[in-house]
Amino acid sequence: MGKQDTKLLNIGFNNGVVASRIIAIVNPSSSPMKRMREEAREKGLLIDATQGRKTRSIIITDSSHVILSAIQAETISNRLSDGAALKEVAREIREQG
């Protein structure tokens, strides 16, 4: 993993996830997501980063870990997109200079 691959995405309460490892960010309210959460708990792959707050999003990683966050899925998606956009701008500037 290179340095550019280790960008941490803030998922609330000073918790971070390596952005390149995220497969999906979903809302937790559907039955399939509730089942996925329980299956991950049984397998020891559930990470609760809510600090006791209500789960507002579920992050799925390429290692099959399921991460619970108290931040809205849309907010986390925007943070991820903003980081990707900034990275692209930085790359373009380096190529021009």
Side-chain angles (χ1 to χ4, degrees):
M1 226 188 252
K3 183 172 173 128
Q4 64 272 24
D5 293 335
T6 58
K7 180 186 179 293
L8 289 179
L9 177 67
N10 182 352
I11 60 167
F13 305 108
N14 292 322
N15 295 304
V17 177
V18 176
S20 63
R21 304 291 303 264
I22 295 173
I23 293 176
I25 303 167
V26 296
N27 291 316
S29 57
S30 70
S31 293
M33 291 304 107
K34 290 177 183 176
R35 280 192 300 274
M36 179 183 291
R37 179 192 307 191
E38 287 310 310
E39 289 172 7
R41 185 183 319 272
E42 291 168 5
K43 294 177 183 176
L45 296 173
L46 183 71
I47 300 170
D48 187 348
T50 63
Q51 300 291 319
R53 311 269 193 321
K54 179 180 178 182
T55 300
R56 292 203 164 101
S57 63
I58 297 176
I59 300 165
I60 304 163
T61 67
D62 60 357
S63 62
S64 299
H65 283 86
V66 174
I67 304 167
L68 308 180
S69 174
I71 306 296
Q72 293 285 347
E74 182 178 3
T75 302
I76 295 174
S77 295
N78 287 340
R79 290 177 184 177
L80 185 60
S81 297
D82 290 347
L86 290 174
K87 190 180 201 180
E88 182 66 23
V89 169
R91 187 182 61 77
E92 288 176 9
I93 291 171
R94 281 194 308 271
E95 288 176 355
Q96 292 174 359

